[in-house]
């Protein structure tokens, strides 16, 4: 046995002991977290961490190792905080909007027992998942009338999250007004831009002015607060009960099969399902996109959709969202993605999932 083999055996032995002690340490961290939760204490206690490092570095006998040990302990502390944050976010679901938003309705249907956190916008939901304030995020992704939600596609490219589930929600839009209002009274209609677009034929018949709002439930909340017969909101019928409004008209969307596809995002990728998607940026070469499409076909994969989207802060440059049948358990899928990388600037795997209907 030579020198390096002996050293590696020693490292293996030490690593085994570190693993045992690591488990023991995290068992104690769980107890600390329970105390912090019970006493509403923050996860980070900077003074405590500094004191531990100051104390423990004295155990290092070889002074040559102290700086490295301090760096190691800082990483241990960071790992501990991350572990605690993961436990805190377990079974927490984030959505954008207020109570009554379609995202909240879907979140309650998919995760009835989990704690719900609401955020102002889609990006904050992504940040909540990335920062481990929530385990999952519920995001509207595509509508049968208005297509993909561009800002969500941007966030999927930007943030390190994966699509874990997909669910389709039938969207029944209603015009909601205050108690004494009639259709003839309405002059202003407030709602999410997609909801306004889905109801444009009905609204044109009313000859009203429209105002885009962050989401449908917030629009309903605003109309209720104004108590003005001239103002109405478009949203789910659940908002009528929530905010004391009256349903002035039902099913006002142009397409009676109006459906929104929602995605569940998380930090861990799924590999099983019947469909997967990627975002990619093609090289600036003639025929690059054609070669990508050809590569997909050569591997026997069925491309369900391909859509382009402008890249933020890069004028007149675009990335592509591609959805295909299959999953990462399939050999041809893995080989296809490997070959696609050869003809792109970048490829981001977004996740594998099974499509589920409303009643699944």
């Amino acid at each position: 046995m030579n020198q390096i083999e002996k050293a590696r055996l020693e490292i293996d032995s030490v690593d085994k002991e570190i693993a045992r002690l690591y488990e023991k340490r995290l068992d104690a961290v769980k107890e600390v977290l329970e105390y912090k939760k019970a006493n509403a204490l923050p996860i980070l206690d900077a003074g405590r961490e500094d004191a531990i490092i100051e104390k423990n570095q004295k155990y290092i006998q070889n002074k040559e190792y102290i700086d490295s040990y301090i760096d190691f302990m800082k990483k241990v502390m960071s790992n501990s905080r991350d572990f605690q944050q993961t436990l805190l976010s377990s079974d927490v679901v984030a959505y954008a909007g207020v109570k009554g938003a379609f995202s909240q309705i879907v979140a309650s249907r998919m995760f009835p027992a989990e704690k719900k956190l609401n955020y102002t916008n889609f990006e904050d939901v992504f940040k909540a998942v990335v920062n481990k304030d929530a385990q999952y995020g519920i995001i509207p992704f595509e509508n049968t009338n208005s297509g993909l939600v561009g800002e969500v596609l941007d966030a999927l490219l930007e943030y390190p999250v994966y699509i874990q589930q997909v669910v389709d929600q039938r969207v029944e839009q209603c015009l909601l007004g205050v108690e004494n209002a009639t259709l003839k009274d309405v002059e202003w209609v407030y709602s999410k831009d997609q909801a306004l677009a889905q109801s444009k034929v009905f609204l044109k018949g009313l000859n009203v002015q429209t105002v885009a709002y962050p989401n449908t439930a917030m629009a309903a909340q605003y109309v209720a607060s104004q108590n003005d017969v001239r103002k109405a909101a478009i949203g789910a019928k659940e908002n009528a009960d929530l905010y004391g409004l009256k349903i002035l008209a039902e099913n006002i969307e142009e397409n009676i099969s109006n459906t929104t596809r929602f995605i569940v995002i998380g930090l861990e990728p799924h590999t099983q399902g019947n469909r997967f998607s990627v975002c990619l940026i093609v090289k600036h070469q003639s025929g690059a996109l054609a070669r990508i499409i050809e590569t997909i076909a050569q591997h026997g994969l069925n491309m369900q959709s391909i859509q382009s989207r402008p890249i933020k802060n890069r004028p007149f440059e675009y990335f592509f969202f591609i959805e295909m049948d299959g999953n990462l358990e399939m050999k041809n899928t893995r080989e296809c993605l490997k070959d696609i990388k050869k003809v792109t600037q970048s490829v981001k795997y977004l996740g594998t999932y099974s499509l589920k209907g409303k009643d699944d």
Side-chain angles (χ1 to χ4, degrees):
M1 185 180 296
N2 60 32
Q3 181 181 2
I4 191 171
E5 290 173 337
K6 289 181 180 179
R8 284 173 174 170
L9 279 177
E10 178 67 16
I11 290 172
D12 288 345
S13 175
V14 171
D15 286 347
K16 183 178 179 180
E17 183 65 10
I18 288 175
R20 185 187 69 81
L21 293 174
Y22 179 76
E23 287 187 279
K24 190 173 181 179
R25 191 180 199 282
L26 287 192
D27 286 340
V29 167
K30 286 182 179 179
E31 296 296 323
V32 171
L33 180 61
E34 288 302 315
Y35 180 85
K36 288 179 178 179
K37 286 168 60 178
N39 293 275
L41 297 174
I43 287 178
L44 175 60
D45 185 346
R48 162 72 177 167
E49 291 190 2
D50 290 342
I52 290 174
I53 293 174
E54 179 69 24
K55 178 186 70 175
N56 288 0
Q57 65 178 292
K58 296 176 182 177
Y59 301 144
I60 301 298
Q61 297 180 14
N62 189 331
K63 303 306 180 184
E64 182 184 355
Y65 301 155
I66 287 181
D67 288 344
S68 295
Y69 176 76
I70 291 173
D71 182 64
F72 169 74
M73 283 304 299
K74 287 180 179 179
K75 289 182 171 64
V76 169
M77 299 295 185
S78 176
N79 178 267
S80 174
R81 293 196 304 272
D82 187 67
F83 176 69
Q84 292 176 69
Q85 191 63 53
T86 298
L87 293 180
L88 278 181
S89 69
S90 179
D91 298 327
V92 176
V93 180
Y95 67 92
V98 295
K99 194 171 183 180
F102 282 107
S103 294
Q104 183 267 328
I105 293 171
V106 172
S108 295
R109 179 162 64 84
M110 296 188 68
F111 301 95
E114 283 78 0
K115 179 182 177 182
K116 315 296 188 302
L117 293 178
N118 68 303
Y119 291 86
T120 303
N121 53 55
F122 298 147
E123 188 168 24
D124 285 345
V125 174
F126 277 84
K127 290 178 179 178
V129 173
V130 171
N131 295 333
K132 296 187 177 180
D133 294 320
Q135 185 176 8
Y136 304 111
I138 303 291
I139 303 284
F141 185 54
E142 185 175 11
N143 180 264
T144 50
N145 287 351
S146 50
L148 288 173
V149 182
E151 58 191 294
V152 174
L153 198 53
D154 293 341
L156 283 172
L157 180 66
E158 179 178 355
Y159 291 96
V161 301
Y162 297 93
I163 301 173
Q164 297 189 339
Q165 295 184 58
V166 172
V167 62
D168 292 346
Q169 171 72 39
R170 168 80 170 89
V171 177
E172 300 175 6
Q173 301 286 17
C174 298
L175 186 69
L176 310 173
V178 296
E179 188 60 33
N180 297 324
T182 67
L183 281 177
K184 293 181 180 179
D185 295 320
V186 178
E187 298 177 10
W188 297 86
V189 175
Y190 303 78
S191 196
K192 177 71 176 169
D193 50 0
Q194 283 91 351
L196 294 172
Q198 293 160 19
S199 311
K200 62 181 179 180
V201 173
F202 174 83
L203 295 174
K204 186 177 181 180
L206 283 184
N207 192 29
V208 294
Q209 298 293 317
T210 60
V211 179
Y213 243 65
N215 60 66
T216 55
M218 290 180 69
Q221 193 178 51
Y222 168 75
V223 168
S225 71
Q226 295 298 295
N227 194 28
D228 186 338
V229 296
R230 298 171 300 170
K231 295 181 178 181
I234 294 175
K237 62 179 63 177
E238 287 87 346
N239 288 300
D241 291 332
L242 279 172
Y243 300 112
L245 297 174
K246 181 171 67 173
I247 298 176
L248 302 178
E250 295 186 58
N251 299 321
I252 64 174
E253 63 274 13
E254 184 177 356
N255 184 354
I256 60 173
S257 61
N258 184 21
T259 302
T260 294
R261 176 159 291 171
F262 286 81
I263 57 175
V264 179
I265 60 171
L267 293 177
E268 298 298 327
H270 286 184
T271 58
Q272 296 182 339
N274 58 20
R275 192 171 291 188
F276 72 98
S277 54
V278 296
C279 279
L280 54 86
I281 300 175
V282 301
K283 293 182 178 179
H284 294 291
Q285 297 174 353
S286 177
L289 181 59
R291 287 195 293 275
I292 291 169
I293 295 174
E294 183 181 359
T295 299
I296 293 171
Q298 287 174 346
H299 287 282
L301 294 175
N302 179 37
M303 185 170 65
Q304 288 284 348
S305 69
I306 178 170
Q307 302 195 48
S308 64
R309 173 75 178 167
I311 302 174
K312 281 184 177 180
N313 302 318
R314 290 167 63 174
F316 306 110
E317 294 187 46
Y318 302 85
F319 70 91
F320 292 87
F321 168 80
I322 299 179
E323 191 172 40
M324 291 172 270
D325 290 337
N327 60 58
L328 285 188
E329 299 294 325
M330 299 164 54
K331 183 180 178 181
N332 60 331
T333 298
R334 297 193 301 272
E335 291 178 345
C336 178
L337 292 179
K338 183 179 179 180
D339 287 343
I340 284 177
K341 289 179 180 179
K342 298 175 183 177
V343 291
T344 58
Q345 287 186 17
S346 65
V347 177
K348 182 185 178 185
Y349 166 72
L350 296 180
T352 299
Y353 40 87
S354 295
L355 296 183
K356 296 181 180 182
K358 180 177 179 181
D359 297 322
D360 286 353

